[in-house]
Amino acid sequence: MANVVFSGTVKKVMADSPDDNKSSMYKGEIEIKRVFKGNDIVNEVANVFFDQVRNHKMVMVDGFGDPHICESKIHSGDTKIFMLNKGYNGELRLNSSIMPITLTNLEYTEAVVKPSFGV
């Protein structure tokens, strides 16, 4: 049900409070590795940084630490699969639990978001 699905690495966590025990939500800056779904939305909201090897697409994501989502906490350096929706304010927002990067999860994610054609 997410509008945007990608794998990426957390580059920066912007918590309102340094107290990790506080249950407030926070934002994170994510470097995108691979977009599975919602490439148009990603291109609309991403900041692109160029270097000699590759283009870095960075996005700001809100909703980490949401108590209604089981796996919603991040740390700098985490590489995960993120499922997001574009919020009313134009920012990306966490839609469901963050998935760890495993071969099974990558294959499953690709299969789920791949458009299916009638058989």
Side-chain angles (χ1 to χ4, degrees):
M1 297 184 97
N3 299 108
V4 178
V5 180
F6 62 74
S7 62
T9 301
V10 178
K11 293 298 178 179
K12 191 184 297 183
V13 176
M14 286 94 158
D16 290 335
S17 169
D19 180 11
D20 289 340
N21 295 327
K22 189 174 179 181
S23 63
S24 65
M25 293 192 298
Y26 53 94
K27 294 181 181 184
E29 186 177 44
I30 314 296
E31 179 182 8
I32 296 174
K33 302 296 183 190
R34 179 177 175 193
V35 178
F36 294 95
K37 181 180 179 184
N39 199 43
D40 291 341
I41 296 171
V42 167
N43 288 334
E44 183 182 319
V45 300
N47 294 319
V48 180
F49 300 96
F50 299 98
D51 65 18
Q52 293 178 348
V53 179
R54 62 191 169 124
N55 299 340
H56 299 270
K57 286 185 182 177
M58 304 291 285
V59 292
M60 191 64 64
V61 175
D62 194 14
F64 294 114
D66 187 337
H68 299 101
I69 299 175
C70 293
E71 298 293 327
S72 65
K73 294 188 179 179
I74 57 168
H75 304 285
S76 286
D78 286 352
T79 300
K80 305 283 186 179
I81 298 171
F82 299 90
M83 290 169 269
L84 315 159
N85 282 327
K86 186 175 176 185
Y88 63 90
N89 60 359
E91 287 188 349
L92 294 176
R93 183 167 185 80
L94 195 62
N95 182 45
S96 63
S97 292
I98 302 163
M99 292 175 42
I101 295 282
T102 65
L103 183 56
T104 301
N105 285 348
L106 289 170
E107 289 174 343
Y108 179 75
T109 301
E110 187 171 342
V112 169
V113 300
K114 191 179 214 178
S116 60
F117 299 100
V119 177

